[in-house]
């Protein structure tokens, strides 16, 4: 996260160029050790991208971090900027990043059960955000994080408690993985004014549908063939 002043010395003169040199040296060393390595850094804006590109240090993958605070995934996706409490890349910018043609990975995202998001909402948002981002062109999706490993702070993003007990988000993640692990996002379908319907193609030719409502209530009849 080169844009994060918690981790990097932004007070140094011409900092983006200094970061680019560090990234170039690290990428060179990594590829010398493993020619098949996939080297990337967290997308941090035009200044960093330009500095890295000037040194002709290619990244095989565009990596982003995005956190929406307590805002639900669908509302965050339509927001032109990060909501209060949000960090990283705004979800609304992800579609444009995916359009660059470089494989896009979401290497860090999550919702903390810190009072603004309940454990039940964390479970819902985990699935909804994963599906939303895949529909935007994200190739890989990494949730922060698996286990609550310390009191407070980052601890509350886990999908299991500190003693390893599953939170609702763990069951939601497992269910999503079981249904979609060998499926590929195919298309979104118009079902209602506030219903999201995402279709996935399976290797056997069948279709898996993921549906949720952001506002509407009612009954939906699905005919299986």
């Amino acid at each position: 996260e080169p844009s994060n002043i918690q981790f990097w010395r932004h007070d140094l003169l011409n900092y983006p160029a200094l970061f680019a040199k560090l990234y170039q040296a690290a990428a060179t060393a990594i590829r010398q050790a493993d020619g098949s390595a996939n080297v990337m850094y967290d997308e941090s804006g035009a200044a960093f991208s330009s500095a890295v590109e000037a040194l002709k240090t290619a990244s095989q993958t565009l990596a982003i971090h995005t956190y929406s605070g307590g805002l639900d995934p669908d509302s965050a996706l339509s927001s032109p900027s990060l909501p209060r409490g949000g960090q990283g890349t705004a979800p609304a910018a992800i579609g444009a990043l995916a359009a660059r043609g470089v494989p896009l990975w979401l290497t860090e995202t999550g919702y903390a059960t810190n009072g603004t998001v309940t454990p039940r909402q964390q479970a819902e948002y985990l699935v909804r955000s994963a599906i939303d981002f895949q529909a935007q062109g994200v190739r890989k999706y990494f949730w922060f994080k698996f286990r609550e490993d310390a009191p407070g702070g980052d601890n509350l993003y886990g999908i299991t408690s500190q003693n390893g007990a599953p939170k609702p988000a763990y069951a939601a993640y497992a269910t999503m993985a079981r249904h979609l692990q060998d499926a590929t996002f195919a298309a979104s379908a118009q079902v209602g004014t506030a219903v999201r319907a995402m279709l996935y193609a399976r290797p056997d030719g069948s279709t898996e549908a993921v549906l949720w409502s952001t506002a509407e209530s009612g009954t939906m009849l699905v005919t299986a063939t």
Side-chain angles (χ1 to χ4, degrees), residues 10-71:
H10 284 221
D11 59 316
L12 298 176
L13 184 65
N14 201 16
Y15 168 66
L18 292 176
F19 173 81
K21 290 180 180 179
L22 175 65
Y23 181 67
Q24 181 186 48
T28 299
I30 291 168
R31 289 175 179 135
Q32 286 175 345
D34 181 357
S36 64
N38 192 340
V39 183
M40 68 192 81
Y41 69 96
D42 174 49
E43 164 67 25
S44 296
F48 294 96
S49 298
S50 297
V52 170
E53 290 168 4
L55 295 181
K56 296 180 171 56
T57 307
S59 297
Q60 295 90 349
T61 297
L62 180 62
I64 59 172
H65 295 176
T66 184
Y67 291 88
S68 298
L71 192 64

Side-chain angles (χ1 to χ4, degrees), residues 3-5 13 41 44 52 55 83-84 99 108 117-118 123 128 130 133 146 148 154 160 172 190 194 223:
S3 62
N4 193 325
I5 61 175
L13 184 65
Y41 69 96
S44 296
V52 170
L55 295 181
R84 174 180 285 184
E108 205 176 294
V117 171
T118 67
R128 286 166 55 180
F133 288 134
F146 179 72
E148 297 180 348
D154 290 347
T160 64
Q190 183 65 43
T223 303

Side-chain angles (χ1 to χ4, degrees), residues 164-188:
K167 293 163 68 175
Y170 178 93
Y173 198 110
T175 301
M176 178 177 66
R178 185 171 67 251
H179 282 276
L180 301 180
Q181 62 181 337
D182 60 350
T184 303
F185 176 79
S188 58

